[in-house]
Amino acid sequence: MYVKISNVLSQEIGIAISAGTNCVYKPMLALHNPNTEYTEVFDMMESLNIEQDFTRSYMDKISAVIRIRVDQLRDIIANLQDLECTIMLTPMIMRLNIPDYSQEPIIIKANVISDNTDIDQMYNKEQFNSDHNRPPLNASEQQLTMLYPIYLIEPAVYKARHMGINAILNGVDMEHALQWICYQFGFESVNIYKPDNPQVYGSVIIPPMKYLSDVFPYLQDRYGIYSSGLGYYVTGNTIYIYPAFDKDPSHSPVEGVIHLIHGPKNNYLGLDSYHTTVETDTWILSVSDVEIKKPGIAAEENDGNTMTVSNPNNAMDSGVVIGKDGSVTRDTSTVTTIQLAGSKSMKTNSNVPKYKGSSSNIYKLTSDMAASEYDYIGLVWLQSVPRFIKPGQSILYHYDSKDNVYCAQAGRILSASYASVAHKGNNQFQKLFTFTCNLSFFVEPPKPVDNTVAT
């Protein structure tokens, strides 16, 4: 098929598909209880899903489905308290059905979150003897197994889930306050991008809080951390804290840029791999449909593109002047006005002002407007690598617009959801997995670079 694409985009696609990385995995799931020494290994996994929503959640949502016998299920339920799980995804050479030892396996360690299950409601009792540990002679292996879902949580979050915090920190800035809080919750691996707020506070008051998810938004709302939104997320036992809607790659907590390339849909189907990593950057080719949302105009009409607040700190030091005619004049230093530079309404000289009350936290105010500055894009990454993209990682989106004009837009990842696709393994129960990833991210306005066409 003859498809016109720009020379620049053609070169970017060439980089993305040059490596030929194996993206087929043999799954294995192991359960272990350190209190009872219970251990069980399952290689008959039916599915694995990992949902990472970096803006609406603060931890991975991982679910797996395994095929097990009833006696194995009884053992799991008896050992649910503090049950640990390790998932290993071993890269495979699919055409030979042998491990690819040139690639490291993906290992996910987590804790199991599950409710007690009434086993008698999950299977037909007539298929089993009264001795539940020994199957009847007339039952096949297929009849003796069932599908069982397992829900997993990061070990660091599992340990911190019942911890509370209440403190007064003296003589600290936001960076040191964040570090102290992370270590109080038991995080050993902390990745914090330097806050925009440099102020050293005489005291930072943290009222009693039960949940980790309450502490960081409180600091952002009360004192201000970043001027372009607060992001915080735990994955791989590391907590990341960063400006959520800052498109500058140098302001990311993660080294390296993800180059997302939208290529012709029908020209690159059926490839073994759609990504290549060169040093710290990774090129990913997507051949899916693209979903685009432009919340800017609607957000401006509802929330305004010009925000006005009164500054209580300045108001305390200045009064008002009452004229002879009764008019009241207030010092302009007590009023703060913030306006979106890239506002759609501003382009037509149509401002939508909103009064937001009283606040001296400029970081919170600008963050409230930051999310509506950008376009939101969703696309699919085939043959993906689970948990490859990190929270706060910078994105550079490559594509050809109309008339084959190459464009590149900078942005940041918002979410990544990985879903397994099962393929036949060595036997009727064992499966090999590939993963499809639904990505969403925001981008700045497009910047045309080149309009040379390649064929």
Side-chain angles (χ1 to χ4, degrees), residues 176 225 245 251 275 297 437:
H176 288 92
I225 302 173
F245 291 95
H251 297 173
H275 78 280
I297 296 177
C437 180

Side-chain angles (χ1 to χ4, degrees), residues 161-173:
R161 72 193 192 285
H162 293 317
M163 294 181 182
I165 192 169
N166 179 21
I168 298 177
L169 307 180
N170 296 316
V172 298
D173 57 16

Side-chain angles (χ1 to χ4, degrees), residues 26-34 38-43 45 48 62 64 66 82-90 105-112 150-153 155 387:
K26 178 183 176 181
M28 183 277 293
L29 184 147
L31 298 177
H32 172 68
N33 191 311
Y38 160 77
T39 301
E40 188 84 50
V41 177
F42 304 89
D43 60 2
M45 288 184 64
L48 174 63
I62 305 174
I66 56 176
D82 295 327
L83 187 60
E84 298 173 352
C85 176
T86 299
I87 295 175
M88 184 166 71
L89 301 172
T90 302
I106 298 172
I107 298 176
I108 301 172
K109 294 185 177 182
N111 288 82
V112 177
I150 293 179
Y151 303 97
L152 306 175
I153 185 174
R387 300 211 300 185

